[in-house]
């Protein structure tokens, strides 16, 4: 599609984070591993051309994978749409059609019960003319309608509530990101209040505040409730990206900005935040002020360890970080690379993410006890896929992310990496 000009692609916030890849990223030559593979790769199939944002996001405890595929619009073959999908083993189930009536949807989260969360276009015109989920910015078919958070299960998809302003008016848009096994959902929702930090119509159509939130169902499982989370330093906007089984959440707060085609939202993330016991904890940074690539937390485990990404000193680079017990640690990059992003962390302490060269070629990376390893060196060199990101891990040690097809790097695929039986290092 000629309207799509951006070549960068890397796991978005909710792979969830930034990550860049070139339009047809060359498949890097790998040093042949002298050890037996530690993971077997299951190819979940194509998710769209390399310029698209199609990718998997989350793997549940029983191996369900949530994500999206990008394909030609069936009503207009010259345009593209995004469809929310779930993968179960190698079976792909589209859950975004008919969705909530609009053309685009994404499934960001899934739990062991098959409950999926994400965003979906509706048939309701956006009263403020916003492009909250970035359909126009991404070159997808844009309906001009609202884009709302959803919860889906057993073939049904329902919109989740948004926040209300002082006059009782509900916000129009929102996104549901990760869901835990108790049905608690982290995300963001508009509140109907005008946002004074938005850059203006000449730069962005965004005009309304959006706050970090958690959705939950109280006993006896009737109406879904929405709870607004605090931001830090008076930030007007924020997003909760992930939630653990203890109800702790992580994300970012900051100012309203233009929709970022890499970061996939309207937030300029200035502070990485942990929400614990109703307190918003600023996790600090790696020396930057957030004006380059941002400062945000995208993953945490049930032990309260947090990972994310921060601009480094001088805002010339960004690195993944690990936060634990009040201290933030720079995880660095793979040898020879310039940037990194830490996206998720397992209960085993294994950190997942992406390491990126100066020319923005990504490769999936694992950090174990602070040491970075290219995931491609831990799989069979006969694999048809070159692993570009590692986005999510479950308690079985299974990992999901996106990859380039070695025989055709312009084609992006989703994958599931399974630890080889008996290999303790993979766990």
């Amino acid at each position: 599609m000629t309207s799509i000009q951006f070549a960068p692609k890397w796991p978005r916030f909710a792979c969830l984070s930034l990550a860049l890849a070139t339009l047809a990223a060359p498949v890097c030559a790998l040093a042949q591993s002298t050890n037996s593979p530690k993971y077997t790769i299951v190819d979940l199939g194509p998710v769209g051309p390399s310029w698209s944002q199609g990718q998997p996001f989350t793997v549940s405890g029983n191996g369900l994978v949530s994500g999206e595929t990008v394909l030609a619009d069936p009503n207009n073959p010259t345009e593209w749409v995004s469809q929310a999908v779930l993968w179960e083993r190698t079976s792909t189930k589209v859950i975004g059609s008919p969705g909530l009536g609009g053309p685009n949807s994404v499934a960001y989260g899934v739990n062991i019960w098959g409950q999926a969360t994400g965003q979906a276009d509706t048939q309701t015109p956006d009263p403020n003319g916003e492009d909250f989920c970035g359909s126009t910015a991404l070159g997808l078919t844009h309906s001009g309608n609202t884009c709302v958070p959803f919860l889906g299960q057993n073939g049904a998809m329902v919109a989740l509530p948004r926040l209300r302003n002082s006059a009782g008016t509900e916000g129009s848009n929102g996104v549901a990101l990760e869901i835990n096994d108790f049905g608690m959902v982290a995300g963001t929702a508009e509140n109907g209040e005008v946002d004074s930090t938005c850059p203006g119509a000449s730069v962005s159509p965004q005009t309304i505040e959006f706050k970090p939130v958690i959705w939950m169902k109280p006993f006896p499982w009737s109406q879904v409730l929405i709870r607004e989370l605090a931001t830090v330093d008076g930030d007007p906007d924020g997003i909760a990206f992930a939630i653990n089984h203890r109800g702790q959440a992580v994300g970012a707060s900051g100012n309203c900005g233009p929709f970022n085609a890499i970061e996939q939202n309207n937030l300029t993330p200035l502070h990485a935040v942990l929400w614990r016991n109703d307190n918003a904890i600023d996790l600090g940074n790696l020396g930057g002020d957030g004006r380059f690539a941002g400062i945000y937390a995208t993953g945490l485990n049930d032990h309260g360890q947090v990972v994310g990404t921060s601009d480094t000193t001088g805002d010339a680079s960004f690195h993944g970080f690990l936060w634990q017990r009040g201290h933030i640690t720079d995880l660095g990059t793979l040898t020879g690379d310039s940037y990194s992003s830490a996206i998720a962390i397992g209960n085993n302490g294994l950190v997942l993410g992406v390491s990126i060269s100066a020319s923005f070629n990504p490769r999936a990376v694992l950090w174990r006890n602070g040491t970075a390893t290219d995931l491609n060196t831990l799989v069979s060199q006969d694999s048809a896929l070159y692993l570009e990101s590692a986005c999510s891990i479950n308690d079985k040690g299974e990992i999901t992310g996106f990859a380039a097809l070695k025989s055709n790097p312009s084609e992006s695929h989703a994958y599931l990496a399974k630890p080889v039986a008996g290999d303790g290092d993979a766990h």
Side-chain angles (χ1 to χ4, degrees):
M1 181 176 176
T2 56
S3 64
I4 298 175
Q5 299 297 323
F6 60 91
K9 175 204 181 212
W10 76 53
R12 64 163 104 180
F13 273 135
C15 177
L16 199 176
S17 171
L18 295 105
L20 293 172
T22 57
L23 181 62
V27 175
C28 301
L30 295 174
Q32 189 72 23
S33 175
T34 57
N35 300 317
S36 299
K38 299 184 186 304
Y39 295 90
T40 57
I41 298 299
V42 178
D43 186 346
L44 300 178
V47 292
S50 63
W51 54 257
S52 78
Q53 297 300 313
Q55 59 184 286
F57 293 105
T58 302
V59 57
S60 71
N62 54 356
L64 295 171
V65 177
S66 62
E68 65 171 323
T69 61
V70 173
L71 63 157
D73 186 340
N75 299 314
N76 187 350
T78 64
E79 298 197 5
W80 300 84
V81 294
S82 170
Q83 292 287 284
V85 298
L86 291 180
W87 288 276
E88 185 174 8
R89 300 182 179 89
T90 56
S91 174
T92 303
K93 180 181 180 181
V94 176
I95 63 172
S97 180
L100 296 177
N104 301 296
S105 60
V106 181
Y108 287 119
V110 65
N111 63 16
I112 61 172
W113 310 110
Q115 296 174 311
T117 51
Q119 66 189 38
D121 291 343
T122 72
Q123 293 183 323
T124 303
D126 191 298
N128 301 297
E130 294 181 334
D131 182 29
F132 187 80
C133 294
S135 296
T136 297
L138 295 172
L140 300 171
T141 295
H142 183 223
S143 62
N145 296 337
T146 59
C147 178
V148 302
F150 75 76
L151 175 65
Q153 188 175 24
N154 299 325
M157 181 183 289
V158 296
L160 294 173
R162 276 75 71 202
L163 297 168
R164 294 183 180 273
N165 63 16
S166 56
T169 302
E170 185 179 41
S172 298
N173 300 288
V175 178
L177 293 167
E178 194 168 288
I179 182 171
N180 68 18
D181 289 342
F182 299 102
M184 301 177 71
V185 181
T188 187
E190 290 186 334
N191 63 3
E193 299 284 357
V194 174
D195 192 331
S196 62
T197 66
C198 290
S202 63
V203 177
S204 168
Q206 186 65 30
T207 60
I208 303 299
E209 290 182 349
F210 49 98
K211 303 290 187 178
V213 297
I214 289 177
W215 290 274
M216 64 191 80
K217 280 189 175 183
F219 185 81
W221 308 105
S222 54
Q223 181 180 359
V224 176
L225 299 181
I226 183 172
R227 178 162 61 93
E228 181 178 338
L229 303 174
T231 59
V232 299
D233 281 0
D235 291 339
D237 303 294
I239 302 173
F241 292 120
I243 189 166
N244 65 15
H245 291 109
R246 299 168 62 187
Q248 300 169 337
V250 294
S253 69
N255 295 331
C256 174
F259 186 86
N260 189 309
I262 299 171
E263 298 175 0
Q264 302 288 299
N265 57 52
N266 301 286
L267 182 67
T268 299
L270 303 177
H271 302 96
V273 185
L274 166 65
W275 290 280
R276 185 173 63 191
N277 300 326
D278 290 328
N279 295 316
I281 301 169
D282 188 341
L283 303 182
N285 56 68
L286 300 179
D289 65 7
R291 302 293 179 179
F292 178 52
I295 302 166
Y296 50 91
T298 51
L300 80 166
N301 61 19
D302 293 336
H303 307 299
Q305 295 173 301
V306 180
V307 296
T309 304
S310 171
D311 291 346
T312 57
T313 302
D315 285 342
S317 182
F318 56 88
H319 285 176
F321 68 76
L322 169 66
W323 182 94
Q324 55 186 340
R325 296 186 292 276
H327 299 283
I328 189 169
T329 301
D330 189 336
L331 293 172
T333 69
L334 290 171
T335 301
D337 284 347
S338 299
Y339 314 97
S340 68
S341 183
I343 300 169
I345 182 169
N347 284 329
N348 56 7
L350 186 67
V351 179
L352 313 178
V354 60
S355 184
I356 307 158
S357 71
S359 56
F360 295 106
N361 289 314
R363 43 184 171 160
V365 63
L366 311 181
W367 286 275
R368 183 183 289 108
N369 299 322
T371 300
T373 302
D374 186 340
L375 183 56
N376 289 281
T377 66
L378 303 180
V379 304
S380 170
Q381 300 307 293
D382 294 332
S383 171
L385 300 178
Y386 179 76
L387 311 183
E388 296 183 307
S389 75
C391 302
S392 177
I393 185 171
N394 63 18
D395 284 345
K396 295 179 182 178
E398 296 172 328
I399 296 167
T400 193
F402 67 77
L405 190 64
K406 288 180 181 178
S407 62
N408 180 15
S410 64
E411 183 173 304
S412 294
H413 282 230
Y415 73 85
L416 184 65
K418 295 186 173 184
V420 174
D423 182 6
D425 286 343
H427 298 273

